[in-house]
Amino acid sequence: MSTPEHSPLGKTTVYADRYDPSLLFPIPREQKRIEIGVIEPLPFGGVDIWNAYELSWLDARGKPQVALAEFRVPAASPHIIESKSFKLYLNGFSQEKIGTPALHDTLVRDLSAAAGAPVSVTLSAPTAGGHAITDLSGALLDDLPLDIDDYGPPNAGYLSANHNATPVEETLLSHLLRSNCPVTGQPDWGSVQIAYRGAPIDHAGLLRYLVSFRTHNEFHEQCVERIFVDLMARCAPERLAVYARYTRRGGLDINPFRSTDPAAEPANLRGARQ
């Protein structure tokens, strides 16, 4: 079975320290996409960027090696990979003797098979450059003086745009995104960047909408797709990109990106909370 309740989430787990690709638990994207009205062809392109901070293995002489890993899972893949199973799988390399090129190729093969589409893998030394903290850009919504008392479920009724006004091109940012794991109920904290061109979106309504995810139970990727679909339906921008950077749990962070431009891919920025 590949539904969340059959995953390792929320269950007592023995942490294997040997390589085992069967630990990976794929979950179909289709059911949640049908729920929000997404059918083929997809109305967006994009990618899910995963960062792993707890990857270690043994070299040929038995000496431990460590690396930071970036994984890019295409939004068009039929499956997401459940995050605890991903962590268990990565931990399985901790006592394996394997060369770095072979490790890279193994990760590509196994993760692509689980996702059902090619997954790119980049390994880098923890001392390498390019890991500096760089927060998402955009006009911050969080300081708007609002009284808010709606914390879920997500309420797209807050979203609106002024179609009588001159179109604008702007990037908006909030650090107030919070949702919950649909299996364990654990909170997921994130920052979200919304870049669009079109009729001006009401900022106060957008912030109220984002806060209304606060008690909602859904995986990261599904939340971002819901935001994208609701903005397109209620505000009809000419162009839209939604990028969420979530805080890490268990040595992994997940950062979904969805865009009307099927070729767009974001930089892998590491925020202050990551």
Side-chain angles (χ1 to χ4, degrees), residues 54-208:
E54 299 177 5
L55 177 61
S56 183
W57 67 100
L58 305 178
D59 68 12
R61 301 176 65 182
K63 186 174 72 172
Q65 306 294 301
V66 295
L68 302 179
E70 175 194 291
F71 310 100
R72 290 188 176 237
V73 182
S77 66
H79 298 97
I80 62 174
I81 301 172
E82 188 277 309
S83 60
K84 184 175 180 181
S85 79
F86 204 148
K87 177 185 177 182
L88 293 172
Y89 164 76
L90 294 177
N91 192 71
F93 288 98
S94 62
Q95 292 301 111
E96 287 288 340
K97 289 185 177 180
I98 186 170
T100 303
L103 172 64
H104 173 272
D105 293 348
T106 300
L107 291 168
V108 169
R109 182 189 66 232
D110 293 345
L111 295 171
S112 298
V119 173
S120 70
V121 178
T122 303
L123 303 179
S124 58
T127 54
H131 300 295
I133 292 174
T134 308
D135 281 320
L136 294 170
S137 63
L140 187 65
L141 301 175
D142 301 349
D143 295 332
L144 291 172
L146 299 178
D147 294 326
I148 296 180
D149 59 6
D150 184 355
Y151 307 108
N155 187 349
Y158 290 123
L159 297 172
S160 66
N162 183 357
H163 292 278
N164 295 318
T166 301
V168 300
E169 188 162 357
E170 64 177 349
T171 300
L172 305 173
L173 176 66
S174 176
H175 300 298
L176 303 186
L177 183 62
R178 178 193 187 270
S179 55
N180 301 306
C181 171
V183 178
T184 66
Q186 288 180 293
D188 295 318
W189 307 91
S191 300
V192 60
Q193 179 191 65
I194 295 166
Y196 75 96
R197 174 175 171 77
I201 293 174
D202 177 64
H203 290 187
L206 176 56
L207 185 59
R208 292 184 191 278

Side-chain angles (χ1 to χ4, degrees), residues 4-77:
E5 62 269 22
H6 295 97
S7 77
L9 273 175
K11 300 178 178 66
T12 301
T13 304
V14 176
Y15 282 78
D17 60 4
R18 308 300 293 191
Y19 167 65
D20 183 359
S22 71
L23 292 169
L24 291 168
F25 191 87
I27 297 175
R29 297 185 191 264
E30 183 181 29
Q31 181 178 352
K32 274 293 181 178
R33 286 179 171 172
I34 291 172
E35 181 181 308
I36 60 174
V38 171
I39 58 174
E40 298 287 348
L42 296 178
F44 47 68
V47 64
D48 302 325
I49 302 175
W50 296 65
N51 294 300
Y53 300 90
E54 299 177 5
L55 177 61
S56 183
W57 67 100
L58 305 178
D59 68 12
R61 301 176 65 182
K63 186 174 72 172
Q65 306 294 301
V66 295
L68 302 179
E70 175 194 291
F71 310 100
R72 290 188 176 237
V73 182
S77 66

